Every structure is written in C-alpha cells, then in structure tokens.
Amino acid sequence: MKKSAWLRYPLFLLVIVLLGFWLWKIVRGGSDRVSTADSLLEALVEGRPRYLNPDLTPDERARDLVSRMTSEEKIGQLILVDRRALEDENDIAKYGIGALLSGAGSNPEDNTPNGWREMINRYQSVASQTRLGIPLLYGVDAIHGHANIPTATIFPHQIGLGAANDPGLVEQINRAVSAELLATGVNWSFSPSLDVALDNRWGRVYESFGSDVARVVNLAGPAIRGLQGEDPNSVRVISTAKHYLGGGATAWGTSANPSYELDQGDALISESTLRRDHLPPFQEAVRADVWSVMAGLSSWQAEKLSSHHYLLTDVLKNELDFQGFVVSDWHGVYDIPGNDYLNTAAAINAGLDLVMLPYDYKRFTADVRQALDSGRLSYKRLDDAVLRILRAKFALGLFDNSIENTNENNILGSIEHRLLAREAVRKSLVLLKDGNSSLPLSKELKTIAVSGSAADNTGFQSGGWTIEWQGTDGNTIPGATSILAAIKQAVSQNTSVSYNQAGLFAPGYRAEVGIAIVGEKPYAEGFGDDPNPSLSDEDLKAIQNLRRVSDKLVVVVVSGRPLDIKQAARNWDVVIAAWLPGSEGQGVTDVMFGDYNFSGTLPVVWDR
Ligand code: BGC
C-alpha cells in the first residue's frame, strides 16, 4: 500500500508535465521563439492559432506564423525552384519549400488546364502535410497570357499593348489572364515587365511596353491591378514588377552571358538617369501595391542587381516603402562572380527575399543554415524575408481556401477572352505607311495574293514565351487564327485568296492586292540580341515576288521591335506594324478591311 502511494505521486507529476508540454507545443507550434500573449489566449479560447484567423490582416497573420516557425521552416520559405529540379516531390515537405515555378517550357506532360491543376494540387497537398501546412506560391511567366498552355488565349506581347496605350484594356486583359491562371492552380505571375527598352537590338524589347517611360508608367498600375485585383489584402494572383532595374539600358557587348550581347548586360548610366528613365514604373508598381518585384539579371555600374543593397534595400524597400517581397531572377544569385555561399548570404543581406535558385535547394538550405550559424546572415533579416513572403500568401487567401478541384477547362481560351485579345490586336496596330490611301481594303476585292513567313504561322505571330521559351514554328496552337485564315474569313465569298509563302504564283497570275505578312522568327531573351534587326532574305524575296504580281502591296510586319525596312519599304504601298499579336489574327484584318480604324502609336522609335 505504502509503496504504491509513493509511486503514484511522481506518475501524477509526469502526467502534469506532459500535459503542460503538449499545451505549450500547441500554442507555440514548436517554434524556437516565445509566442505572443495574444496567440496564447486565442489558442486557449478558440483552439486555433492567430495565423489561421481570416479576419486578421495578412501582416498580422504572417507575424503570428513567423513567430511559430523553426529556422529550418523559415529557410524553406526562401526557396523558389523549377518543378523540373525537384528530385522527389516529397522534398517539398522535407525542405519546407516555399515556392515552385514552371520556367518557360516547364510544362506538365499533360499540358492541359487539367494536367496543370492536377500537378499543382499534388504539390500543394505535399506542402499541406508539413507541420504548419504552409501553401506554395506557384509562379509562371504569363507575360502575354497563360501561354504555356496551347489552349490559352495568347494576347499580344506587351510591346503591342504599349502601342495601344489603353490602360483600361491592359487591366481587362490582366484580369482575364488571372482567371486563366487560377483555373490551372497558378497563383503567381512573373509579369508585367516594366523595363524601359531603350535599345531595339535587345531581345526583350517586345516584353516591354516600350521605350517611353511615361507610357510604361501609364500601363504599370492597370497591369498589376488586373492581375491582383483592387484590394491588396485579398488578391487573385500575385503580380511581379520586373526586371528591377535598368535592364533596358545595358550597353552592347557587356552581357555577363557569353552567348548574349545586351541581355544580362551592364547599364553604364548615372544614378540620375537611372532614376529618371527607369525607376518611375517601379514607383508606380509600388503605388499599385504590387506584391513582388523581380531583381533583374543585369548590372548597374558593374554591380549585379541580384545583390545590390543600395537599389534593393535603400531605394526599393526604404525609399519607395515596398512592403512585398523581392524575388531574384533565374539562377541570378549563382551568376554573381565569386563564391556561391558568400554570394548567397550577401544577396539576402542586400534585400533579396525569395531566391529563384532555380535548381539546387539542398545546397541552398545548407548555405543559409551556415550563414545563420556563422552570423553572416542575421535572424532578423531571415524573419523579415519570411514575413514578406508569407504576407503575400495570406493576401492570396491560400490558408483559407482548400484546394479546389473544379473543372474550369473552358476558362482558358474562352470566347470572351479571345474577343478581348482580338480587340487588343486591332488597337495595337500602327500604320507606318499608306502614301496612296490604299486602306482600308475592300472585302469585295476579286483577287488577293498572300505571302510571307508569318502569314500562316500562329507560332511566329505569337513570338517567344509561347509554349516554349523560344516560341514555336507553325500552326501549333489550337484555337489560334493565323492572319491568312483571318483574311479568308474577312473577305466576301467572291474573293479568291491565293497563298504561297515564297510569293510564287502561276505564270500570268495577277492580284488586285498582295498582302505580305513577314517578320521575325520567335526568340526570347539574349537569343534575340541582334545588331541589326531586319527582315530575312527569304521574306524580302517573297515580298519582291508578290510585288510583281500585285497591283497594290500591303506589308504587315510581325515583329517584336522595329525592323530596318527603310530601303525596301519605298516600293511598298502600305506598311503595318502588327508587333506579336498572339492567337487572334482577326484583330489584324478587322482594321485592314475597315471595320475599325488604326489607333496604335509607336511605343519605340522606328526610324522611317
Ligand atoms: C527571365 C525572367 C523570368 C524567369 C522565370 C528568366 O530567364 O529573365 O523574366 O521571369 O526566367 O521564367
């Protein structure tokens, strides 16, 4: 009797201690920091932590969540990897990975809305199995629609929207894009590009709204609001203002990439010029509450943007008061010359929050751990980076919505979105020449001859960043309408439309009007750096051939930037700049055949 009473006492004590420990674990969620009195109270009263309370602001929720996280969990939130680099899907949980992306062409095998949704839901469900169940950001480059997927609506590239210069239209387009993204589970777009593209030889001119800073500023806010929505604390998808800063002003031959010339180069301009010509769009983006800003792969005065403390922290975060997160661009941290470990710590110290590795998350995890242990990186900076990323996740409502398995395949490429894209195409067209007032063309013409490399090629008319990074060749995009097909649809039943790409027609053939649709083959980034953007010999030959058989000659230039056509164009009656119109070729014929007027103006200088 006496012995068992003696035994019962410590047992009772043990139970009390265990119970206490268990309660303490629930409240502080295993963090190595003390949780706030508020969360303690709330957890006791309501049984749920503050970060799960949707009535609190993203900032309040993020702060609560950060206070519960271990440093390993925090390190994981800084990771952004391409899905192709995942060695094992369970690594999402094992490393607490915070964000994934599909870089250009990183599409699921089943490249349909369904295939995407299934893939992303799978990743999200692995993330949800972690201790705190922090959902993933999933990013893509929806720079002219969700153009990773063949059935998406492919809007004109931004250069065309710059020509249209219609803020309402840009907002509507981006709202449509956000719907197409959400239907596939994507919650983050690396757009808009707010580069002010000053050199037409650059391979990224078409991604920009042009060379006029006022125009870029004018369209920045609408693009961001269109994607995110009106309320920054409750957004549809996260928008990214890129590429911060000065990537459109690099000097020829300064690229850090041996295969490129301008792209990833060095902007050798003064601070006052940088501030005057390149900063305003980002100021505007911050005003529009953009949630993320991407640090570019370029340099300013020999210092890489990826770890530019002055521009990332002093200017962007402190001076402009940017509250969102800074994400690096592809492999940016590892492209900084020198030691990768030291550069990683330096870049985060400089103000980088989320790191687009985009491959080796294991090495990164170890490096950040070591930087913290050695004091090279402070816990304070780590907490700030995580806070910024988590705020965005709360603003997205990711913790409040369960993974949806809706069947929304019909949202991609819907009639409504295609009509919007078609409107954008017609507003983007710029009439460069019509000396003899040959336009509009009559739909009752008897004979039309069509030639040129971009006439019957929806891949060419969509440009780079379409399905593949460097774009596609041919009519590879289901639901898209080539300009040739649009001409056939626009004209009367009595009109005969003959097509030959090279402009070769039967002997004796004569057309009232020849329409040459010519231009650049798709390219992306530095692969488009070109000392003299111009038409190919093949296209020039096709135009000559067509000229011979046509009474009047209309040339439609499908290109990402101005081309050197000064000499050749003397012999053409009409020249239209169509930029990279995307999937809706009818936008071109809507104007060519007079249903609408030309209204686009040049967003970049085109030497005439
Ligand atoms: C580009 C970025 C893009 C990123 C992710 C990089 O190569 O410079 O504009 O957002 O890839 O695809």
Side-chain angles (χ1 to χ4, degrees):
M1 263 312 258
K2 202 175 167 200
K3 197 179 172 191
S4 70
W6 186 81
L7 259 176
R8 233 177 273 144
Y9 186 57
L11 249 173
F12 175 69
L13 252 178
L14 188 71
V15 167
I16 292 287
V17 168
L18 280 176
L19 218 100
F21 181 68
W22 174 72
L23 225 139
W24 174 70
K25 279 283 274 186
I26 291 184
V27 169
R28 78 191 262 286
S31 134
D32 32 28
R33 300 176 61 178
V34 179
S35 60
T36 61
D38 271 358
S39 34
L40 181 76
L41 201 74
E42 190 157 353
L44 283 172
V45 175
E46 292 182 31
R48 75 169 169 189
R50 277 169 68 77
Y51 75 91
L52 290 180
N53 180 352
D55 298 332
L56 300 179
T57 64
D59 182 62
E60 289 167 326
R61 299 175 72 181
R63 283 181 194 280
D64 177 66
L65 182 52
V66 173
S67 78
R68 297 165 190 276
M69 295 168 74
T70 64
S71 36
E72 270 61 40
E73 286 164 338
K74 290 173 187 172
I75 295 169
Q77 287 302 304
L78 311 191
I79 297 176
L80 170 57
V81 279
D82 188 286
R83 54 169 282 277
R84 287 170 292 199
L86 275 181
E87 280 173 31
D88 180 339
E89 291 189 1
N90 290 316
D91 281 353
I92 295 171
K94 189 166 171 200
Y95 292 85
I97 290 173
L100 294 177
L101 83 146
S102 275
S106 180
N107 308 320
E109 215 170 289
D110 175 14
N111 193 6
T112 64
N114 219 6
W116 277 76
R117 226 172 20 244
E118 272 175 24
M119 170 183 78
I120 296 175
N121 285 354
R122 215 172 51 237
Y123 298 145
Q124 290 289 18
S125 84
V126 180
S128 73
Q129 286 153 26
T130 54
R131 189 179 67 93
L132 295 165
I134 304 176
L136 295 160
L137 288 175
Y138 199 101
V140 303
D141 292 276
I143 61 173
H144 62 144
H146 197 349
N148 309 289
I149 305 181
T151 53
T153 312
I154 298 166
F155 293 90
H157 265 295
Q158 265 190 215
I159 194 70
L161 302 185
N165 198 15
D166 179 339
L169 178 70
V170 167
E171 185 162 346
Q172 270 182 292
I173 286 174
N174 279 281
R175 193 173 311 126
V177 173
S178 76
E180 298 209 4
L181 290 172
L182 283 172
T184 64
V186 174
N187 53 30
W188 183 18
S189 177
F190 307 127
S191 67
S193 160
L194 299 183
D195 290 318
V196 177
L198 296 179
D199 193 328
N200 289 337
R201 298 172 300 176
W202 189 27
R204 306 195 80 159
V205 168
Y206 69 81
E207 293 182 52
S208 79
F209 288 125
S211 61
D212 171 15
V213 64
R215 213 176 269 228
V216 181
V217 168
N218 191 34
L219 301 175
I224 292 160
R225 271 193 300 280
L227 284 169
Q228 294 194 164
E230 289 298 323
D231 178 0
N233 286 332
S234 169
V235 298
R236 284 191 288 268
V237 303
I238 297 288
S239 163
T240 307
K242 73 182 186 184
H243 305 81
Y244 185 83
L245 183 70
T250 59
W252 184 263
T254 60
S255 179
N257 183 325
S259 318
Y260 300 172
E261 299 290 348
L262 281 166
D263 194 42
Q264 301 182 17
D266 194 356
L268 302 165
I269 54 177
S270 70
E271 180 166 355
S272 56
T273 306
L274 185 74
R275 282 178 176 269
R276 186 195 62 204
D277 296 343
H278 302 275
L279 190 61
F282 291 89
Q283 261 166 322
E284 190 59 29
V286 174
R287 239 175 266 141
D289 297 303
V290 74
W291 270 110
S292 78
V293 169
M294 186 184 290
L297 294 171
S298 61
S299 302
W300 176 50
Q301 294 183 352
E303 199 181 326
K304 285 272 190 185
L305 262 301
S306 308
S307 64
H308 207 295
H309 191 283
Y310 175 68
L311 290 178
L312 298 182
T313 296
D314 300 343
V315 176
L316 179 63
K317 288 183 174 173
N318 296 342
E319 193 181 312
L320 304 190
D321 197 23
F322 172 57
Q323 295 295 318
F325 63 88
V326 177
V327 59
S328 54
D329 197 353
W330 192 266
H331 210 252
V333 169
Y334 299 121
D335 286 346
I336 304 169
N339 177 288
D340 286 346
Y341 160 67
L342 296 177
N343 287 337
T344 302
I348 299 170
N349 277 326
L352 199 65
D353 301 306
L354 184 54
V355 188
M356 195 189 294
L357 296 167
Y359 312 112
D360 193 348
Y361 45 96
K362 295 182 185 175
R363 163 174 68 161
F364 176 79
T365 305
D367 283 350
V368 178
R369 180 74 266 171
Q370 189 187 337
L372 286 168
D373 291 344
S374 67
R376 191 169 282 283
L377 179 66
S378 70
Y379 283 89
K380 190 165 168 243
R381 178 73 267 276
L382 175 69
D383 280 3
D384 175 58
V386 175
L387 181 69
R388 287 168 177 273
I389 295 161
L390 291 179
R391 272 194 209 123
K393 292 189 178 182
F394 283 109
L396 272 170
L398 294 184
F399 290 77
D400 311 322
N401 310 326
S402 56
I403 296 167
E404 284 170 32
N405 274 309
T406 47
N407 189 2
E408 296 178 296
N409 289 347
N410 50 351
I411 291 184
L412 274 88
S414 68
I415 303 262
E416 201 188 349
H417 293 174
R418 287 189 188 281
L419 287 175
L420 186 61
R422 179 170 174 174
E423 177 186 346
V425 175
R426 50 181 190 253
K427 287 183 170 170
S428 73
L429 302 178
V430 179
L431 184 58
L432 295 176
K433 175 181 179 181
D434 184 11
N436 314 318
S437 299
S438 309
L439 291 185
L441 301 179
S442 163
K443 293 178 185 173
E444 304 296 330
L445 288 166
K446 290 276 162 308
T447 44
I448 297 178
V450 180
S451 309
S453 66
D456 192 23
N457 194 321
T458 54
F460 279 17
Q461 83 193 30
S462 299
W465 297 97
T466 309
I467 324 283
E468 298 297 335
W469 185 33
Q470 299 296 324
T472 59
D473 179 359
N475 286 324
T476 50
I477 306 164
T481 307
S482 71
I483 301 174
L484 172 66
I487 293 170
K488 288 180 178 165
Q489 284 170 24
V491 294
S492 74
Q493 283 179 342
N494 306 325
T495 309
S496 118
V497 178
S498 310
Y499 166 69
N500 178 276
Q501 186 180 320
L504 300 171
F505 296 90
Y509 173 83
R510 193 95 209 134
E512 282 168 273
V513 173
I515 305 176
I517 302 151
V518 292
E520 292 186 300
K521 289 195 169 66
Y523 54 80
E525 303 193 29
F527 290 112
D529 288 352
D530 183 340
N532 183 31
S534 42
L535 288 174
S536 66
D537 290 343
E538 189 196 356
D539 266 343
L540 286 169
K541 193 92 195 101
I543 295 172
Q544 273 173 16
N545 291 338
L546 188 63
R547 169 82 280 183
R548 266 185 233 117
V549 298
S550 312
D551 297 342
K552 268 185 188 160
L553 178 67
V554 174
V555 177
V556 179
V557 182
V558 173
S559 67
R561 53 188 158 188
L563 302 183
D564 182 6
I565 51 171
K566 237 182 332 189
Q567 291 301 324
R570 295 205 173 121
N571 197 18
W572 311 340
D573 299 295
V574 175
V575 187
I576 299 168
W579 314 110
L580 297 170
S583 55
E584 307 313 302
Q586 303 100 316
V588 176
T589 46
D590 283 346
V591 180
M592 210 192 289
F593 290 95
D595 293 338
Y596 293 85
N597 293 325
F598 283 93
S599 59
T601 54
L602 284 175
V604 278
V605 177
W606 196 319
D607 182 12
R608 287 189 245 186

